[in-house]
PDB file of all heavy atoms in Angstrom:
ATOM      1  N   TRP A   1     215.759  98.866  79.694  1.00 95.00           N
ATOM      2  CA  TRP A   1     216.262  99.588  78.521  1.00 95.00           C
ATOM      3  C   TRP A   1     217.084  98.662  77.629  1.00 95.00           C
ATOM      4  O   TRP A   1     216.886  98.620  76.409  1.00 95.00           O
ATOM      5  CB  TRP A   1     217.112 100.779  78.979  1.00 95.00           C
ATOM      6  CG  TRP A   1     217.824 101.479  77.861  1.00 95.00           C
ATOM      7  CD1 TRP A   1     219.092 101.252  77.426  1.00 95.00           C
ATOM      8  CD2 TRP A   1     217.309 102.507  77.016  1.00 95.00           C
ATOM      9  NE1 TRP A   1     219.395 102.077  76.378  1.00 95.00           N
ATOM     10  CE2 TRP A   1     218.309 102.859  76.101  1.00 95.00           C
ATOM     11  CE3 TRP A   1     216.091 103.162  76.954  1.00 95.00           C
ATOM     12  CZ2 TRP A   1     218.140 103.838  75.136  1.00 95.00           C
ATOM     13  CZ3 TRP A   1     215.931 104.137  75.979  1.00 95.00           C
ATOM     14  CH2 TRP A   1     216.942 104.467  75.094  1.00 95.00           C
ATOM     15  N   GLN A   2     218.020  97.931  78.220  1.00 96.00           N
ATOM     16  CA  GLN A   2     218.894  97.057  77.450  1.00 96.00           C
ATOM     17  C   GLN A   2     218.104  95.956  76.744  1.00 96.00           C
ATOM     18  O   GLN A   2     218.339  95.674  75.564  1.00 96.00           O
ATOM     19  CB  GLN A   2     219.972  96.446  78.356  1.00 96.00           C
ATOM     20  CG  GLN A   2     220.991  97.457  78.821  1.00 96.00           C
ATOM     21  CD  GLN A   2     221.927  96.907  79.884  1.00 96.00           C
ATOM     22  OE1 GLN A   2     221.543  96.066  80.706  1.00 96.00           O
ATOM     23  NE2 GLN A   2     223.152  97.394  79.893  1.00 96.00           N
ATOM     24  N   ALA A   3     217.172  95.336  77.448  1.00 96.00           N
ATOM     25  CA  ALA A   3     216.353  94.285  76.835  1.00 96.00           C
ATOM     26  C   ALA A   3     215.513  94.869  75.699  1.00 96.00           C
ATOM     27  O   ALA A   3     215.407  94.274  74.612  1.00 96.00           O
ATOM     28  CB  ALA A   3     215.457  93.620  77.885  1.00 96.00           C
ATOM     29  N   SER A   4     214.948  96.045  75.929  1.00 97.00           N
ATOM     30  CA  SER A   4     214.141  96.710  74.911  1.00 97.00           C
ATOM     31  C   SER A   4     214.975  97.047  73.676  1.00 97.00           C
ATOM     32  O   SER A   4     214.537  96.841  72.540  1.00 97.00           O
ATOM     33  CB  SER A   4     213.515  97.978  75.504  1.00 97.00           C
ATOM     34  OG  SER A   4     212.857  98.723  74.514  1.00 97.00           O
ATOM     35  N   MET A   5     216.173  97.560  73.885  1.00 98.00           N
ATOM     36  CA  MET A   5     217.044  97.919  72.761  1.00 98.00           C
ATOM     37  C   MET A   5     217.458  96.675  71.966  1.00 98.00           C
ATOM     38  O   MET A   5     217.504  96.716  70.726  1.00 98.00           O
ATOM     39  CB  MET A   5     218.284  98.671  73.257  1.00 98.00           C
ATOM     40  CG  MET A   5     217.970 100.039  73.850  1.00 98.00           C
ATOM     41  SD  MET A   5     217.021 101.137  72.761  1.00 98.00           S
ATOM     42  CE  MET A   5     218.173 101.410  71.447  1.00 98.00           C
ATOM     43  N   LEU A   6     217.757  95.595  72.647  1.00 98.00           N
ATOM     44  CA  LEU A   6     218.133  94.355  71.960  1.00 98.00           C
ATOM     45  C   LEU A   6     216.965  93.845  71.120  1.00 98.00           C
ATOM     46  O   LEU A   6     217.129  93.478  69.946  1.00 98.00           O
ATOM     47  CB  LEU A   6     218.559  93.297  72.987  1.00 98.00           C
ATOM     48  CG  LEU A   6     219.008  91.950  72.445  1.00 98.00           C
ATOM     49  CD1 LEU A   6     220.203  92.100  71.504  1.00 98.00           C
ATOM     50  CD2 LEU A   6     219.368  91.030  73.599  1.00 98.00           C
ATOM     51  N   TRP A   7     215.764  93.848  71.697  1.00 98.00           N
ATOM     52  CA  TRP A   7     214.564  93.418  70.963  1.00 98.00           C
ATOM     53  C   TRP A   7     214.324  94.331  69.762  1.00 98.00           C
ATOM     54  O   TRP A   7     214.065  93.858  68.659  1.00 98.00           O
ATOM     55  CB  TRP A   7     213.372  93.415  71.921  1.00 98.00           C
ATOM     56  CG  TRP A   7     212.059  93.148  71.254  1.00 98.00           C
ATOM     57  CD1 TRP A   7     211.600  91.951  70.773  1.00 98.00           C
ATOM     58  CD2 TRP A   7     211.042  94.110  70.982  1.00 98.00           C
ATOM     59  NE1 TRP A   7     210.345  92.119  70.218  1.00 98.00           N
ATOM     60  CE2 TRP A   7     209.989  93.431  70.341  1.00 98.00           C
ATOM     61  CE3 TRP A   7     210.914  95.468  71.225  1.00 98.00           C
ATOM     62  CZ2 TRP A   7     208.825  94.073  69.940  1.00 98.00           C
ATOM     63  CZ3 TRP A   7     209.754  96.112  70.830  1.00 98.00           C
ATOM     64  CH2 TRP A   7     208.726  95.410  70.192  1.00 98.00           C
ATOM     65  N   GLN A   8     214.433  95.660  69.974  1.00 98.00           N
ATOM     66  CA  GLN A   8     214.194  96.604  68.886  1.00 98.00           C
ATOM     67  C   GLN A   8     215.198  96.428  67.741  1.00 98.00           C
ATOM     68  O   GLN A   8     214.828  96.565  66.567  1.00 98.00           O
ATOM     69  CB  GLN A   8     214.226  98.042  69.402  1.00 98.00           C
ATOM     70  CG  GLN A   8     212.995  98.385  70.225  1.00 98.00           C
ATOM     71  CD  GLN A   8     212.986  99.830  70.653  1.00 98.00           C
ATOM     72  OE1 GLN A   8     213.114 100.725  69.831  1.00 98.00           O
ATOM     73  NE2 GLN A   8     212.845 100.058  71.950  1.00 98.00           N
ATOM     74  N   ARG A   9     216.451  96.131  68.067  1.00 98.00           N
ATOM     75  CA  ARG A   9     217.451  95.881  67.018  1.00 98.00           C
ATOM     76  C   ARG A   9     217.051  94.695  66.156  1.00 98.00           C
ATOM     77  O   ARG A   9     217.190  94.716  64.941  1.00 98.00           O
ATOM     78  CB  ARG A   9     218.818  95.618  67.646  1.00 98.00           C
ATOM     79  CG  ARG A   9     219.664  96.841  67.742  1.00 98.00           C
ATOM     80  CD  ARG A   9     221.092  96.497  68.140  1.00 98.00           C
ATOM     81  NE  ARG A   9     221.441  97.407  69.212  1.00 98.00           N
ATOM     82  CZ  ARG A   9     221.839  97.052  70.416  1.00 98.00           C
ATOM     83  NH1 ARG A   9     222.019  95.790  70.728  1.00 98.00           N
ATOM     84  NH2 ARG A   9     222.103  97.953  71.327  1.00 98.00           N
ATOM     85  N   LYS A  10     216.567  93.653  66.809  1.00 98.00           N
ATOM     86  CA  LYS A  10     216.142  92.459  66.072  1.00 98.00           C
ATOM     87  C   LYS A  10     214.920  92.755  65.194  1.00 98.00           C
ATOM     88  O   LYS A  10     214.834  92.285  64.058  1.00 98.00           O
ATOM     89  CB  LYS A  10     215.861  91.312  67.041  1.00 98.00           C
ATOM     90  CG  LYS A  10     217.116  90.776  67.712  1.00 98.00           C
ATOM     91  CD  LYS A  10     216.793  89.712  68.741  1.00 98.00           C
ATOM     92  CE  LYS A  10     218.023  89.207  69.442  1.00 98.00           C
ATOM     93  NZ  LYS A  10     218.914  88.435  68.596  1.00 98.00           N
ATOM     94  N   ILE A  11     213.985  93.536  65.729  1.00 98.00           N
ATOM     95  CA  ILE A  11     212.804  93.928  64.955  1.00 98.00           C
ATOM     96  C   ILE A  11     213.228  94.777  63.758  1.00 98.00           C
ATOM     97  O   ILE A  11     212.761  94.566  62.630  1.00 98.00           O
ATOM     98  CB  ILE A  11     211.791  94.701  65.833  1.00 98.00           C
ATOM     99  CG1 ILE A  11     211.225  93.813  66.946  1.00 98.00           C
ATOM    100  CG2 ILE A  11     210.682  95.313  64.982  1.00 98.00           C
ATOM    101  CD1 ILE A  11     210.287  92.727  66.494  1.00 98.00           C
ATOM    102  N   LYS A  12     214.120  95.725  63.991  1.00 98.00           N
ATOM    103  CA  LYS A  12     214.604  96.597  62.917  1.00 98.00           C
ATOM    104  C   LYS A  12     215.220  95.772  61.787  1.00 98.00           C
ATOM    105  O   LYS A  12     214.954  96.025  60.608  1.00 98.00           O
ATOM    106  CB  LYS A  12     215.630  97.588  63.475  1.00 98.00           C
ATOM    107  CG  LYS A  12     216.180  98.550  62.455  1.00 98.00           C
ATOM    108  CD  LYS A  12     217.189  99.499  63.079  1.00 98.00           C
ATOM    109  CE  LYS A  12     217.749 100.440  62.043  1.00 98.00           C
ATOM    110  NZ  LYS A  12     218.716 101.381  62.613  1.00 98.00           N
ATOM    111  N   LYS A  13     216.012  94.799  62.154  1.00 98.00           N
ATOM    112  CA  LYS A  13     216.656  93.930  61.156  1.00 98.00           C
ATOM    113  C   LYS A  13     215.601  93.147  60.370  1.00 98.00           C
ATOM    114  O   LYS A  13     215.683  93.017  59.150  1.00 98.00           O
ATOM    115  CB  LYS A  13     217.631  92.977  61.848  1.00 98.00           C
ATOM    116  CG  LYS A  13     218.420  92.112  60.910  1.00 98.00           C
ATOM    117  CD  LYS A  13     219.410  91.248  61.672  1.00 98.00           C
ATOM    118  CE  LYS A  13     220.161  90.342  60.716  1.00 98.00           C
ATOM    119  NZ  LYS A  13     221.053  89.425  61.434  1.00 98.00           N
ATOM    120  N   ALA A  14     214.597  92.635  61.058  1.00 98.00           N
ATOM    121  CA  ALA A  14     213.549  91.851  60.393  1.00 98.00           C
ATOM    122  C   ALA A  14     212.711  92.719  59.455  1.00 98.00           C
ATOM    123  O   ALA A  14     212.270  92.256  58.400  1.00 98.00           O
ATOM    124  CB  ALA A  14     212.644  91.189  61.438  1.00 98.00           C
ATOM    125  N   LEU A  15     212.493  93.975  59.812  1.00 98.00           N
ATOM    126  CA  LEU A  15     211.663  94.863  59.000  1.00 98.00           C
ATOM    127  C   LEU A  15     212.422  95.508  57.848  1.00 98.00           C
ATOM    128  O   LEU A  15     211.808  96.064  56.932  1.00 98.00           O
ATOM    129  CB  LEU A  15     211.039  95.957  59.879  1.00 98.00           C
ATOM    130  CG  LEU A  15     209.979  95.478  60.860  1.00 98.00           C
ATOM    131  CD1 LEU A  15     209.566  96.614  61.796  1.00 98.00           C
ATOM    132  CD2 LEU A  15     208.771  94.917  60.124  1.00 98.00           C
ATOM    133  N   HIS A  16     213.733  95.421  57.875  1.00 98.00           N
ATOM    134  CA  HIS A  16     214.560  96.050  56.838  1.00 98.00           C
ATOM    135  C   HIS A  16     214.172  95.574  55.436  1.00 98.00           C
ATOM    136  O   HIS A  16     214.066  96.383  54.511  1.00 98.00           O
ATOM    137  CB  HIS A  16     216.049  95.794  57.108  1.00 98.00           C
ATOM    138  CG  HIS A  16     216.951  96.403  56.094  1.00 98.00           C
ATOM    139  ND1 HIS A  16     217.194  97.758  56.044  1.00 98.00           N
ATOM    140  CD2 HIS A  16     217.648  95.858  55.071  1.00 98.00           C
ATOM    141  CE1 HIS A  16     218.001  98.018  55.049  1.00 98.00           C
ATOM    142  NE2 HIS A  16     218.300  96.888  54.430  1.00 98.00           N
ATOM    143  N   GLU A  17     213.942  94.297  55.275  1.00 97.00           N
ATOM    144  CA  GLU A  17     213.617  93.771  53.941  1.00 97.00           C
ATOM    145  C   GLU A  17     212.250  94.242  53.431  1.00 97.00           C
ATOM    146  O   GLU A  17     211.961  94.140  52.249  1.00 97.00           O
ATOM    147  CB  GLU A  17     213.710  92.255  53.903  1.00 97.00           C
ATOM    148  CG  GLU A  17     212.591  91.516  54.598  1.00 97.00           C
ATOM    149  CD  GLU A  17     212.699  90.010  54.436  1.00 97.00           C
ATOM    150  OE1 GLU A  17     212.184  89.497  53.427  1.00 97.00           O
ATOM    151  OE2 GLU A  17     213.322  89.379  55.309  1.00 97.00           O
ATOM    152  N   TYR A  18     211.430  94.781  54.331  1.00 98.00           N
ATOM    153  CA  TYR A  18     210.118  95.293  53.941  1.00 98.00           C
ATOM    154  C   TYR A  18     210.136  96.819  53.777  1.00 98.00           C
ATOM    155  O   TYR A  18     209.097  97.427  53.524  1.00 98.00           O
ATOM    156  CB  TYR A  18     209.055  94.886  54.963  1.00 98.00           C
ATOM    157  CG  TYR A  18     208.991  93.395  55.118  1.00 98.00           C
ATOM    158  CD1 TYR A  18     209.616  92.760  56.192  1.00 98.00           C
ATOM    159  CD2 TYR A  18     208.355  92.608  54.166  1.00 98.00           C
ATOM    160  CE1 TYR A  18     209.576  91.375  56.319  1.00 98.00           C
ATOM    161  CE2 TYR A  18     208.318  91.222  54.285  1.00 98.00           C
ATOM    162  CZ  TYR A  18     208.940  90.624  55.364  1.00 98.00           C
ATOM    163  OH  TYR A  18     208.910  89.261  55.484  1.00 98.00           O
ATOM    164  N   ASP A  19     211.318  97.407  53.948  1.00 98.00           N
ATOM    165  CA  ASP A  19     211.488  98.855  53.840  1.00 98.00           C
ATOM    166  C   ASP A  19     210.549  99.590  54.794  1.00 98.00           C
ATOM    167  O   ASP A  19     209.917 100.575  54.434  1.00 98.00           O
ATOM    168  CB  ASP A  19     211.281  99.334  52.392  1.00 98.00           C
ATOM    169  CG  ASP A  19     211.713 100.779  52.198  1.00 98.00           C
ATOM    170  OD1 ASP A  19     212.639 101.239  52.904  1.00 98.00           O
ATOM    171  OD2 ASP A  19     211.103 101.467  51.346  1.00 98.00           O
ATOM    172  N   LEU A  20     210.460  99.065  56.018  1.00 98.00           N
ATOM    173  CA  LEU A  20     209.643  99.680  57.058  1.00 98.00           C
ATOM    174  C   LEU A  20     210.484  99.921  58.296  1.00 98.00           C
ATOM    175  O   LEU A  20     211.302  99.073  58.681  1.00 98.00           O
ATOM    176  CB  LEU A  20     208.481  98.763  57.464  1.00 98.00           C
ATOM    177  CG  LEU A  20     207.335  98.557  56.498  1.00 98.00           C
ATOM    178  CD1 LEU A  20     206.392  97.501  57.027  1.00 98.00           C
ATOM    179  CD2 LEU A  20     206.608  99.868  56.228  1.00 98.00           C
ATOM    180  N   THR A  21     210.263 101.072  58.942  1.00 98.00           N
ATOM    181  CA  THR A  21     210.826 101.268  60.273  1.00 98.00           C
ATOM    182  C   THR A  21     209.890 100.591  61.269  1.00 98.00           C
ATOM    183  O   THR A  21     208.742 100.263  60.941  1.00 98.00           O
ATOM    184  CB  THR A  21     210.941 102.764  60.616  1.00 98.00           C
ATOM    185  OG1 THR A  21     209.619 103.313  60.707  1.00 98.00           O
ATOM    186  CG2 THR A  21     211.772 103.516  59.579  1.00 98.00           C
ATOM    187  N   HIS A  22     210.368 100.436  62.475  1.00 98.00           N
ATOM    188  CA  HIS A  22     209.524  99.837  63.511  1.00 98.00           C
ATOM    189  C   HIS A  22     208.292 100.714  63.748  1.00 98.00           C
ATOM    190  O   HIS A  22     207.174 100.214  63.884  1.00 98.00           O
ATOM    191  CB  HIS A  22     210.335  99.663  64.790  1.00 98.00           C
ATOM    192  CG  HIS A  22     209.724  98.717  65.763  1.00 98.00           C
ATOM    193  ND1 HIS A  22     210.332  98.385  66.937  1.00 98.00           N
ATOM    194  CD2 HIS A  22     208.555  98.034  65.764  1.00 98.00           C
ATOM    195  CE1 HIS A  22     209.561  97.541  67.616  1.00 98.00           C
ATOM    196  NE2 HIS A  22     208.479  97.325  66.921  1.00 98.00           N
ATOM    197  N   THR A  23     208.505 102.020  63.776  1.00 98.00           N
ATOM    198  CA  THR A  23     207.389 102.946  63.983  1.00 98.00           C
ATOM    199  C   THR A  23     206.364 102.820  62.865  1.00 98.00           C
ATOM    200  O   THR A  23     205.148 102.765  63.124  1.00 98.00           O
ATOM    201  CB  THR A  23     207.909 104.396  64.077  1.00 98.00           C
ATOM    202  OG1 THR A  23     208.805 104.490  65.195  1.00 98.00           O
ATOM    203  CG2 THR A  23     206.772 105.392  64.254  1.00 98.00           C
ATOM    204  N   GLN A  24     206.816 102.760  61.619  1.00 98.00           N
ATOM    205  CA  GLN A  24     205.897 102.606  60.495  1.00 98.00           C
ATOM    206  C   GLN A  24     205.115 101.303  60.603  1.00 98.00           C
ATOM    207  O   GLN A  24     203.906 101.273  60.359  1.00 98.00           O
ATOM    208  CB  GLN A  24     206.655 102.662  59.172  1.00 98.00           C
ATOM    209  CG  GLN A  24     207.213 104.021  58.852  1.00 98.00           C
ATOM    210  CD  GLN A  24     208.166 103.992  57.668  1.00 98.00           C
ATOM    211  OE1 GLN A  24     208.646 102.943  57.244  1.00 98.00           O
ATOM    212  NE2 GLN A  24     208.446 105.170  57.117  1.00 98.00           N
ATOM    213  N   PHE A  25     205.801 100.235  60.981  1.00 98.00           N
ATOM    214  CA  PHE A  25     205.133  98.945  61.153  1.00 98.00           C
ATOM    215  C   PHE A  25     204.051  99.038  62.226  1.00 98.00           C
ATOM    216  O   PHE A  25     202.925  98.573  62.034  1.00 98.00           O
ATOM    217  CB  PHE A  25     206.150  97.853  61.519  1.00 98.00           C
ATOM    218  CG  PHE A  25     205.499  96.574  61.960  1.00 98.00           C
ATOM    219  CD1 PHE A  25     204.966  95.696  61.032  1.00 98.00           C
ATOM    220  CD2 PHE A  25     205.395  96.263  63.307  1.00 98.00           C
ATOM    221  CE1 PHE A  25     204.341  94.522  61.432  1.00 98.00           C
ATOM    222  CE2 PHE A  25     204.773  95.092  63.721  1.00 98.00           C
ATOM    223  CZ  PHE A  25     204.243  94.222  62.780  1.00 98.00           C
ATOM    224  N   VAL A  26     204.389  99.626  63.360  1.00 98.00           N
ATOM    225  CA  VAL A  26     203.427  99.747  64.459  1.00 98.00           C
ATOM    226  C   VAL A  26     202.218 100.563  64.007  1.00 98.00           C
ATOM    227  O   VAL A  26     201.067 100.201  64.296  1.00 98.00           O
ATOM    228  CB  VAL A  26     204.080 100.349  65.724  1.00 98.00           C
ATOM    229  CG1 VAL A  26     203.032 100.723  66.766  1.00 98.00           C
ATOM    230  CG2 VAL A  26     205.096  99.378  66.314  1.00 98.00           C
ATOM    231  N   ILE A  27     202.453 101.629  63.287  1.00 98.00           N
ATOM    232  CA  ILE A  27     201.345 102.467  62.814  1.00 98.00           C
ATOM    233  C   ILE A  27     200.448 101.681  61.864  1.00 98.00           C
ATOM    234  O   ILE A  27     199.216 101.726  61.988  1.00 98.00           O
ATOM    235  CB  ILE A  27     201.879 103.768  62.182  1.00 98.00           C
ATOM    236  CG1 ILE A  27     202.429 104.666  63.294  1.00 98.00           C
ATOM    237  CG2 ILE A  27     200.791 104.478  61.378  1.00 98.00           C
ATOM    238  CD1 ILE A  27     203.203 105.868  62.810  1.00 98.00           C
ATOM    239  N   LEU A  28     201.027 100.951  60.920  1.00 98.00           N
ATOM    240  CA  LEU A  28     200.217 100.122  60.021  1.00 98.00           C
ATOM    241  C   LEU A  28     199.394  99.104  60.816  1.00 98.00           C
ATOM    242  O   LEU A  28     198.210  98.900  60.543  1.00 98.00           O
ATOM    243  CB  LEU A  28     201.102  99.391  59.010  1.00 98.00           C
ATOM    244  CG  LEU A  28     201.759 100.233  57.919  1.00 98.00           C
ATOM    245  CD1 LEU A  28     202.753  99.383  57.133  1.00 98.00           C
ATOM    246  CD2 LEU A  28     200.722 100.830  56.994  1.00 98.00           C
ATOM    247  N   ALA A  29     200.025  98.480  61.801  1.00 98.00           N
ATOM    248  CA  ALA A  29     199.341  97.462  62.602  1.00 98.00           C
ATOM    249  C   ALA A  29     198.230  98.083  63.457  1.00 98.00           C
ATOM    250  O   ALA A  29     197.135  97.520  63.565  1.00 98.00           O
ATOM    251  CB  ALA A  29     200.353  96.729  63.486  1.00 98.00           C
ATOM    252  N   VAL A  30     198.496  99.240  64.044  1.00 98.00           N
ATOM    253  CA  VAL A  30     197.489  99.917  64.863  1.00 98.00           C
ATOM    254  C   VAL A  30     196.312 100.354  63.993  1.00 98.00           C
ATOM    255  O   VAL A  30     195.150 100.212  64.403  1.00 98.00           O
ATOM    256  CB  VAL A  30     198.105 101.116  65.625  1.00 98.00           C
ATOM    257  CG1 VAL A  30     197.029 102.017  66.219  1.00 98.00           C
ATOM    258  CG2 VAL A  30     199.046 100.623  66.711  1.00 98.00           C
ATOM    259  N   MET A  31     196.597 100.845  62.802  1.00 97.00           N
ATOM    260  CA  MET A  31     195.517 101.242  61.902  1.00 97.00           C
ATOM    261  C   MET A  31     194.622 100.052  61.589  1.00 97.00           C
ATOM    262  O   MET A  31     193.396 100.169  61.589  1.00 97.00           O
ATOM    263  CB  MET A  31     196.094 101.825  60.602  1.00 97.00           C
ATOM    264  CG  MET A  31     196.704 103.194  60.785  1.00 97.00           C
ATOM    265  SD  MET A  31     197.635 103.794  59.350  1.00 97.00           S
ATOM    266  CE  MET A  31     196.449 103.621  58.046  1.00 97.00           C
ATOM    267  N   GLU A  32     195.221  98.910  61.362  1.00 97.00           N
ATOM    268  CA  GLU A  32     194.443  97.700  61.071  1.00 97.00           C
ATOM    269  C   GLU A  32     193.625  97.278  62.287  1.00 97.00           C
ATOM    270  O   GLU A  32     192.452  96.947  62.175  1.00 97.00           O
ATOM    271  CB  GLU A  32     195.392  96.582  60.621  1.00 97.00           C
ATOM    272  CG  GLU A  32     194.728  95.487  59.856  1.00 97.00           C
ATOM    273  CD  GLU A  32     194.141  95.921  58.519  1.00 97.00           C
ATOM    274  OE1 GLU A  32     194.580  96.913  57.911  1.00 97.00           O
ATOM    275  OE2 GLU A  32     193.200  95.235  58.074  1.00 97.00           O
ATOM    276  N   GLU A  33     194.247  97.326  63.458  1.00 97.00           N
ATOM    277  CA  GLU A  33     193.558  96.950  64.702  1.00 97.00           C
ATOM    278  C   GLU A  33     192.371  97.871  64.978  1.00 97.00           C
ATOM    279  O   GLU A  33     191.269  97.397  65.287  1.00 97.00           O
ATOM    280  CB  GLU A  33     194.539  96.987  65.880  1.00 97.00           C
ATOM    281  CG  GLU A  33     193.934  96.671  67.227  1.00 97.00           C
ATOM    282  CD  GLU A  33     193.569  95.220  67.433  1.00 97.00           C
ATOM    283  OE1 GLU A  33     194.073  94.349  66.695  1.00 97.00           O
ATOM    284  OE2 GLU A  33     192.764  94.941  68.344  1.00 97.00           O
ATOM    285  N   LEU A  34     192.580  99.173  64.887  1.00 96.00           N
ATOM    286  CA  LEU A  34     191.485 100.118  65.125  1.00 96.00           C
ATOM    287  C   LEU A  34     190.358  99.904  64.127  1.00 96.00           C
ATOM    288  O   LEU A  34     189.179  99.940  64.487  1.00 96.00           O
ATOM    289  CB  LEU A  34     191.999 101.565  65.048  1.00 96.00           C
ATOM    290  CG  LEU A  34     192.899 102.030  66.189  1.00 96.00           C
ATOM    291  CD1 LEU A  34     193.475 103.406  65.883  1.00 96.00           C
ATOM    292  CD2 LEU A  34     192.163 102.040  67.515  1.00 96.00           C
ATOM    293  N   SER A  35     190.731  99.660  62.880  1.00 94.00           N
ATOM    294  CA  SER A  35     189.737  99.418  61.842  1.00 94.00           C
ATOM    295  C   SER A  35     188.920  98.163  62.150  1.00 94.00           C
ATOM    296  O   SER A  35     187.695  98.159  62.032  1.00 94.00           O
ATOM    297  CB  SER A  35     190.437  99.286  60.491  1.00 94.00           C
ATOM    298  OG  SER A  35     189.517  98.994  59.488  1.00 94.00           O
ATOM    299  N   GLU A  36     189.598  97.095  62.563  1.00 95.00           N
ATOM    300  CA  GLU A  36     188.912  95.841  62.896  1.00 95.00           C
ATOM    301  C   GLU A  36     187.980  96.011  64.088  1.00 95.00           C
ATOM    302  O   GLU A  36     186.956  95.334  64.181  1.00 95.00           O
ATOM    303  CB  GLU A  36     189.932  94.737  63.181  1.00 95.00           C
ATOM    304  CG  GLU A  36     190.656  94.244  61.948  1.00 95.00           C
ATOM    305  CD  GLU A  36     191.764  93.253  62.249  1.00 95.00           C
ATOM    306  OE1 GLU A  36     191.942  92.862  63.438  1.00 95.00           O
ATOM    307  OE2 GLU A  36     192.475  92.867  61.305  1.00 95.00           O
ATOM    308  N   GLN A  37     188.337  96.913  65.010  1.00 94.00           N
ATOM    309  CA  GLN A  37     187.503  97.169  66.188  1.00 94.00           C
ATOM    310  C   GLN A  37     186.358  98.129  65.882  1.00 94.00           C
ATOM    311  O   GLN A  37     185.545  98.425  66.756  1.00 94.00           O
ATOM    312  CB  GLN A  37     188.352  97.746  67.323  1.00 94.00           C
ATOM    313  CG  GLN A  37     189.343  96.800  67.914  1.00 94.00           C
ATOM    314  CD  GLN A  37     190.175  97.454  69.010  1.00 94.00           C
ATOM    315  OE1 GLN A  37     189.923  98.574  69.439  1.00 94.00           O
ATOM    316  NE2 GLN A  37     191.180  96.741  69.478  1.00 94.00           N
TER     317      GLN A  37
END
């Protein structure tokens, strides 16, 4: 849990400048992956 939360905080900070939540980013990425497959 602690390692996951630390990683997620860093991801959240990195995605802030793109105005994306982590969940939104994952959904965009999954949509692209499914489409490519």
Side-chain angles (χ1 to χ4, degrees):
W1 172 266
Q2 290 171 327
S4 173
M5 293 306 294
L6 181 59
W7 173 74
Q8 287 184 53
R9 266 190 228 123
K10 291 176 182 291
I11 295 290
K12 181 180 179 179
K13 184 177 178 184
L15 291 173
H16 180 74
E17 74 176 273
Y18 302 100
D19 191 30
L20 289 173
T21 66
H22 197 177
T23 299
Q24 291 170 344
F25 169 78
V26 169
I27 289 170
L28 289 172
V30 167
M31 288 170 53
E32 200 65 25
E33 178 72 18
L34 289 172
S35 177
E36 288 174 4
Q37 292 178 8

